C-alpha cells in the first residue's frame, strides 16, 4: 500500500462525499456541533478565567490588605486593638520582599467647593498608597516629604471629585472644604474605572495620614494598611511573615486566633480562576459527549452506506481489490467526513467566539491547542467509528455482494 | 506449437462444489474435468441449476471448489488465499456480468478506470488507458456519461471496456447478452469475438442462447453438475 494509493483513495472518498452532499453534511453535523461546542466552551471559559484574573489584578495582584479584627464578616468576639503608625513602620523595616507599605485611615465627608458639594471618602495615607494601588497622576504632584511629616492640609483628588466639584475648572491650586478644614488640591488622579471589587478609587480625596488623624478623625490609629509585595516573592510567604510579626507585636497567645486579618488579592484571584477553570472543564466535557454522539452518527451512516453499496463492493472485489483496500476506502471515507466536520466545527467555533466574546465583555483570544485537540479528536472519531463499518465492507463475499439487489 | 499440444491455460480436474451441509447439502458440481487453452472462445451452456454459474465463479477465482484441482497457468488456484486470488483476478482476469454492474452516478470513464486504481496507475495513465479501452468499444464520445444516461448495450460495452482495460488474459462473461435485445446482443458478441480473434484474449462465456454460443469456438454443455458434452466448432 503506497502513498499514491492512499492519495487516490482520498480523492475517491471526496468524490463519494460530493455525490451525497446533503447526506454527508447531515452526517457530519454531529461532529460539527460537537467540535464547535467544545472549542467555543473552552475558549470562552479561558477568556472568563483571564478576565477574572485581570479584574483582580486591577485591584493589585500583589497586594496584601491588613485589617484589625478576625476575617470578613466576623466581628470577632474579643476586642481587636487598632494598628498604629509604628506597626506600619515595623512591617516596612522588618519584612523582606515588601515594596510599599501604605497605612490608611478613612472618614466619610462632604466635600464642598463654592456652591458644589459631594459626599465622598477621605483617605489618609502616604505616597506609598499611590504606588501600591498603581494610581497615576493626571496632573499636579504627589505629597512632599514635608507635607507628609507635618500633616499639611493638601490633597490629591480622584476623577469623580474633579467632575462633580470643579466641573470645567482646573482643580489644581484651588481649595475644597472638608467639614471645617480647608484643603488645597495639589494633584489629580487619572480615571481608573470600577475595579470590580473594593471602593471606587476615582471617588476619593487622598490626604497625608497625619492631616486626617489630627484634623478629621482625631485619633492616632490606622484603620488598615496595604502591603505591596515584590513580584519575585510569594504573597503567601510575605503574608505569613507579617502574621508572625503582628502576633508578636500584638501579644497574641499561641493557639489563639489572630486578632487581625490579611486579605490576599492573589489568593482570591487564584480561587476564582480555579473555579472558572473547573467550570470550563465541565462544560468542555459536556460538549465532548456531543462529539461522541456525532461519532456514532458517522458510524450509523457508514453502515447504511456499506449496505447500500454492497454491489459496488462486490464489483471492486471481483476486479481484484484486496480486502484491506476496501477497508481502507471506507475508513478513509469516514475519516474524511469526520475531519471535514471537525474543520467546519472549528470555523463555527471561531465565528461564535468572535461574536460572543464582546457580548460577554471578554477579550477574544485564539487558542491553538484546543483547536488542535478538538480537530485531532474528530479525526480519531473517524478512525474509531469508521473501522467497524469498513471491516464489514471488507469481509463481504464477492459473489454474494454481486448478487445483492 | 499448436493449441492441443501446449499446456492448457486452465486445467480442471475432478472439481466438486457442495453448498450447505448435512441433509440440506446441495452438490452443484459433481466432478468436472475441463481444459481450456489460450485463445479459445468457450461458450458454457446449460439449464438453470446445471452448475454453469458455480463453474464460472470457480473459474473466475471468486469461489473455491470443495474438492478437485484447478490449475491456472500452472498455479494451483485452490491453494491460494483470498488476497492471492484477488491479485490473480486483478492481473489475468476480466469480468463482464449480465447486469453490467457499473457504478451508478459514476461516469463511464471513471468506471473503466476502476481496475487501474487498484493497479496503482497514475491518474494521467489511468485516464489515457481508460479512454483507449472506451475507444475500442466505440464509446469514447460517451466517456463522461453516467450509466443512467446510457442504453443497455452501451452500458455493457462500458463494462467490457472496464474488463479489458487491464489487458487480461482471460475474459469471463456471465450471460453478457442476457439483458439485451438481439440486435445489441449481436453487437456485443461481435465485440467479444473481435477481442478473441484480434487481441488473442481467451473468452469464457455463459449463455442460454444458441445464437450467441454460435460465436464461440468451443461449446461446453452442463447437465446436473457435470459436463454433458464438449464440442469444438
Amino acid at each position: 500500500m503506497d502513498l499514491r494509493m492512499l492519495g487516490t483513495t482520498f480523492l475517491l472518498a471526496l468524490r463519494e462525499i460530493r455525490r451525497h452532499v446533503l447526506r454527508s453534511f447531515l452526517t457530519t453535523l454531529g461532529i460539527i456541533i460537537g467540535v464547535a461546542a467544545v472549542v467555543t466552551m473552552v475558549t470562552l471559559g479561558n477568556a472568563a478565567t483571564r478576565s477574572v484574573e485581570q479584574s483582580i489584578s486591577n485591584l493589585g495582584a500583589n497586594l496584601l490588605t491588613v485589617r484589625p479584627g478576625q476575617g470578613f464578616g466576623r466581628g470577632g468576639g474579643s476586642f481587636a486593638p487598632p494598628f498604629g503608625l509604628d506597626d506600619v513602620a515595623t512591617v516596612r523595616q522588618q519584612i523582606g520582599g515588601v515594596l510599599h507599605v501604605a497605612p490608611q485611615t478613612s472618614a466619610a465627608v462632604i466635600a464642598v467647593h463654592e456652591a458644589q458639594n459631594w459626599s465622598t471618602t477621605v483617605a489618609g495615607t502616604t505616597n506609598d498608597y499611590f504606588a501600591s494601588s498603581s494610581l497615576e497622576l493626571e496632573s499636579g504632584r504627589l505629597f512632599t516629604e514635608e507635607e507628609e511629616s507635618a500633616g499639611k492640609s493638601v490633597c490629591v483628588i480622584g476623577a469623580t471629585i474633579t467632575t462633580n466639584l470643579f466641573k470645567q475648572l482646573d482643580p489644581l491650586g484651588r481649595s475644597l472644604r472638608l467639614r471645617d478644614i480647608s484643603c488645597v488640591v495639589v494633584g489629580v488622579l487619572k480615571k481608573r474605572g470600577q475595579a470590580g471589587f473594593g471602593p471606587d478609587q476615582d471617588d476619593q480625596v487622598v490626604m497625608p495620614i497625619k492631616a486626617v488623624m489630627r484634623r478629621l478623625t482625631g485619633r492616632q490609629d490606622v484603620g488598615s494598611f496595604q502591603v505591596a509585595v515584590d513580584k519575585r516573592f510569594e504573597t503567601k510567604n510575605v503574608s505569613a511573615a507579617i502574621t508572625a510579626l503582628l502576633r508578636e507585636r500584638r501579644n497574641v497567645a499561641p493557639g489563639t486566633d489572630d486578632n487581625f486579618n490579611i486579605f490576599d488579592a492573589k489568593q482570591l484571584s487564584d480561587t476564582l480562576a480555579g473555579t472558572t477553570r473547573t467550570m470550563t472543564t465541565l462544560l468542555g466535557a459536556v460538549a465532548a459527549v456531543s462529539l461522541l454522539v456525532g461519532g456514532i452518527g458517522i458510524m450509523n451512516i457508514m453502515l447504511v452506506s456499506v449496505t447500500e453499496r454492497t454491489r459496488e463492493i462486490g464489483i471492486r472485489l471481483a476486479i481484484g481489490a484486496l480486502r484491506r483496500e476496501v477497508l481502507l476506502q471506507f475508513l478513509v471515507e469516514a475519516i474524511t467526513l469526520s475531519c471535514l466536520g471537525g474543520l467546519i466545527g472549528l470555523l463555527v467555533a471561531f465565528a461564535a467566539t468572535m461574536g460572543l466574546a464582546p457580548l460577554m465583555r471578554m477579550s477574544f483570544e485564539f487558542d491553538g491547542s484546543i483547536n488542535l485537540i478538538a480537530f485531532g479528536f474528530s479525526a480519531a472519531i473517524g478512525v474509531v467509528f469508521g473501522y467497524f463499518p469498513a471491516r464489514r465492507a471488507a469481509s463481504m463475499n464477492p459473489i454474494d455482494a454481486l448478487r445483492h439487489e | 506449437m499448436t493449441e492441443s499440444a501446449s499446456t492448457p491455460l486452465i486445467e480442471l480436474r475432478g472439481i466438486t462444489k457442495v453448498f450447505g451441509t448435512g441433509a440440506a447439502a446441495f452438490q452443484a458440481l459433481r466432478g468436472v474435468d475441463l481444459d481450456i487453452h489460450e485463445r479459445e472462445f468457450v461458450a458454457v451452456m446449460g439449464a438453470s441449476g446445471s452448475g454453469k454459474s458455480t463453474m464460472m465463479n470457480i473459474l473466475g477465482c471468486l469461489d473455491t471448489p470443495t474438492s478437485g484441482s484447478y490449475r491456472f497457468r500452472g498455479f494451483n488456484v485452490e491453494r491460494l488465499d483470498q488476497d492471492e486470488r484477488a491479485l490473480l483476478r486483478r492481473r489475468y482476469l476480466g469480468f463482464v456480468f449480465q447486469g453490467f454492474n457499473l457504478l451508478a452516478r459514476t461516469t463511464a470513464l471513471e468506471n473503466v478506470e476502476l481496475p487501474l486504481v487498484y493497479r496503482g496507475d497514475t491518474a494521467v495513465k489511468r485516464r489515457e488507458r481508460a479512454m483507449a479501452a472506451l475507444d475500442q468499444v466505440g464509446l469514447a464520445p460517451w466517456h463522461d456519461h453516467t450509466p443512467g444516461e446510457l442504453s443497455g448495450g452501451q452500458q455493457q460495452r462500458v463494462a467490457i471496456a472496464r474488463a479489458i482495460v487491464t489487458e487480461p488474459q482471460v475474459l469471463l462473461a456471465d450471460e453478457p447478452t442476457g439483458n439485451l435485445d438481439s440486435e445489441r446482443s449481436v453487437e456485443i458478441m461481435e465485440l467479444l469475438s473481435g477481442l478473441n480473434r484480434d487481441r488473442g484474449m481467451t473468452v469464457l462465456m455463459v449463455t442460454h442462447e444458441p445464437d450467441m454460443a454460435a460465436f464461440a469456438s468451443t461449446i461446453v454443455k452442463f447437465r446436473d453438475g457435470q459436463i454433458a458434452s464438449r464440442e469444438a466448432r
Side-chain angles (χ1 to χ4, degrees):
Chain A
M1 184 75 45
D2 57 339
L3 268 178
R4 183 190 298 157
M5 188 70 204
L6 208 62
T8 311
T9 312
F10 175 66
L11 290 178
L12 283 179
L14 281 184
R15 201 157 74 188
E16 196 56 42
I17 290 166
R18 218 173 37 231
R19 248 174 228 146
H20 306 277
V21 177
L22 182 64
R23 189 172 79 180
S24 303
F25 173 71
L26 291 175
T27 307
T28 50
L29 200 56
I31 298 282
I32 294 175
I33 292 172
V35 167
V38 169
V39 174
T40 309
M41 290 299 166
V42 173
T43 307
L44 288 181
N46 286 344
T49 308
R50 268 199 311 279
S51 98
V52 166
E53 282 168 342
Q54 183 64 40
S55 66
I56 289 173
S57 86
N58 273 349
L59 263 185
N62 289 14
L63 209 55
L64 302 174
T65 306
V66 188
R67 286 191 184 86
Q70 296 176 334
F72 304 103
R74 290 172 67 185
S78 56
F79 168 70
F83 294 118
L85 283 173
D86 52 335
D87 289 310
V88 175
T90 315
V91 167
R92 182 181 293 139
Q93 280 156 22
Q94 298 192 4
I95 304 292
V98 164
L99 288 179
H100 312 283
V101 182
Q104 212 176 327
T105 194
S106 51
V109 292
I110 293 173
V112 182
H113 174 256
E114 290 172 359
Q116 313 292 333
N117 61 67
W118 181 252
S119 171
T120 184
T121 309
V122 168
T125 183
T126 62
N127 277 339
D128 276 339
Y129 170 73
F130 301 106
S132 65
S133 299
S134 352
L135 290 167
E136 286 170 43
L137 280 173
E138 174 76 45
S139 62
R141 60 173 176 81
L142 300 181
F143 307 129
T144 63
E145 220 168 285
E146 199 238 327
E147 281 164 353
E148 286 202 321
S149 58
K152 287 257 176 79
S153 192
V154 290
C155 61
V156 174
I157 58 174
T160 310
I161 310 286
T162 313
T163 331
N164 286 292
L165 283 188
F166 296 98
K167 311 288 174 192
Q168 266 81 19
L169 298 172
D170 179 6
L172 287 184
R174 292 176 195 274
S175 47
L176 48 80
R177 203 155 48 78
L178 307 166
R179 295 195 193 152
D180 48 5
I181 64 162
S182 162
C183 162
V184 180
V185 178
V186 295
V188 175
L189 294 173
K190 271 191 184 152
K191 192 172 170 59
R192 150 164 284 189
Q194 235 332 341
F197 295 91
D200 181 354
Q201 286 172 320
D202 290 334
D203 187 7
Q204 63 177 351
V205 175
V206 184
M207 287 177 80
I209 188 163
K210 282 185 179 157
V212 175
M213 283 174 170
R214 199 160 57 229
R215 298 173 188 232
L216 286 171
T217 62
R219 292 205 313 264
Q220 291 302 304
D221 50 81
V222 172
S224 66
F225 60 93
Q226 282 186 344
V227 179
V229 177
D230 189 327
K231 288 214 188 317
R232 288 166 295 182
F233 289 78
E234 285 284 335
T235 54
K236 210 168 54 207
N237 299 340
V238 174
S239 172
I242 294 173
T243 304
L245 177 71
L246 290 179
R247 280 180 75 96
E248 199 190 305
R249 284 181 64 83
R250 293 159 74 86
N251 296 318
V252 179
T256 54
D257 288 339
D258 297 341
N259 58 5
F260 57 91
N261 70 80
I262 302 179
F263 169 77
D264 183 348
K266 180 87 182 310
Q267 241 170 355
L268 180 67
S269 156
D270 288 351
T271 311
L272 285 176
T275 311
T276 40
R277 223 168 271 135
T278 309
M279 287 302 290
T280 305
T281 313
L282 202 69
L283 287 173
V286 171
V289 171
S290 68
L291 202 54
L292 202 69
V293 174
I296 295 169
I298 288 211
M299 176 153 81
N300 189 13
I301 289 297
M302 287 309 293
L303 280 174
V304 170
S305 170
V306 165
T307 310
E308 204 180 80
R309 287 155 71 190
T310 300
R311 265 164 91 91
E312 174 192 329
I313 294 164
I315 295 164
R316 289 177 186 274
L317 288 170
I319 64 174
L322 299 178
R323 289 184 185 271
R324 62 168 181 271
E325 287 166 343
V326 173
L327 182 117
L328 189 79
Q329 186 198 341
F330 281 87
L331 199 56
V332 165
E333 237 178 87
I335 295 170
T336 307
L337 267 182
S338 64
C339 284
L340 276 178
L343 272 182
I344 298 173
L346 291 188
L347 291 179
V348 171
F350 186 77
T353 41
M354 282 277 269
L356 284 175
L359 290 181
M360 297 168 75
R361 289 162 206 274
M362 293 186 303
S363 64
F364 168 74
E365 210 165 283
F366 183 77
D367 182 349
S369 63
I370 184 61
N371 278 273
L372 216 64
I373 290 170
F375 181 72
F377 212 77
S378 68
I381 275 177
V383 176
V384 172
F385 291 100
Y387 185 75
F388 175 61
R391 250 206 37 192
R392 185 181 240 198
S395 62
M396 280 186 183
N397 174 345
I399 301 168
D400 296 339
L402 279 171
R403 253 186 235 133
H404 184 88
E405 288 305 319
Chain B
M1 196 158 62
T2 63
E3 273 182 20
S4 53
S6 68
T7 329
L9 179 66
I10 289 169
E11 202 181 327
L12 300 181
R13 290 292 176 270
I15 295 285
T16 67
K17 180 72 186 180
V18 181
F19 292 108
T21 50
F26 167 71
Q27 189 151 19
L29 294 176
R30 310 160 179 268
V32 173
D33 299 330
L34 181 65
D35 287 352
I36 294 166
H37 291 84
E38 242 175 295
R39 293 167 177 274
E40 262 191 291
F41 188 161
V42 181
V44 179
M45 300 189 73
S48 308
S50 62
K52 58 185 191 319
S53 283
T54 308
M55 177 70 206
M56 282 297 271
N57 287 338
I58 289 171
L59 283 172
C61 303
L62 291 167
D63 209 351
T64 46
T66 308
S67 69
S69 95
Y70 170 16
R71 290 165 75 83
F72 180 84
R73 290 168 57 100
F75 294 113
N76 280 90
V77 176
E78 77 275 5
R79 288 194 203 141
L80 301 180
D81 69 20
Q82 259 173 355
D83 278 355
E84 287 167 330
R85 280 187 277 127
L87 290 172
L88 191 146
R89 290 198 293 271
R90 181 188 292 190
R91 176 105 196 258
Y92 297 109
L93 308 180
F95 290 89
V96 177
F97 306 96
Q98 178 178 3
F100 320 137
N101 276 338
L102 298 174
L103 298 187
R105 294 189 296 270
T106 304
T107 65
L109 186 69
E110 287 167 345
N111 264 293
V112 177
E113 278 183 11
L114 197 60
L116 301 175
V117 168
Y118 294 106
R119 296 188 1 158
D121 286 353
T122 61
V124 176
K125 204 169 166 196
R126 285 205 304 265
R127 196 186 154 83
E128 198 176 286
R129 297 185 61 158
M131 279 306 285
L134 277 173
D135 194 38
Q136 263 183 348
V137 299
L139 279 185
W142 279 270
H143 69 90
D144 59 350
H145 286 54
T146 60
E149 299 162 353
L150 298 171
S151 70
Q154 285 173 321
Q155 287 185 55
Q156 193 58 302
R157 283 196 276 163
V158 173
I160 290 170
R162 181 182 65 193
I164 64 172
V165 73
T166 57
E167 292 170 354
Q169 202 159 13
V170 181
L171 192 64
L172 294 118
D174 192 355
E175 304 202 31
T177 59
N179 287 3
L180 302 174
D181 62 39
S182 55
E183 204 175 322
R184 305 292 149 238
S185 297
V186 169
E187 279 174 23
I188 293 297
M189 289 318 299
E190 278 167 353
L191 194 53
L192 292 181
S193 315
L195 289 167
N196 173 248
R197 188 177 58 240
D198 306 332
R199 307 270 302 270
M201 241 176 240
T202 307
V203 179
L204 298 180
M205 175 183 73
V206 169
T207 184
H208 278 301
E209 300 155 86
D211 290 351
M212 302 304 133
F215 284 86
S217 56
T218 306
I219 297 178
V220 175
K221 284 192 173 146
F222 266 75
R223 188 178 301 137
D224 298 332
Q226 282 176 312
I227 293 178
S229 70
R230 176 194 167 118
E231 48 186 91
R233 295 164 43 87

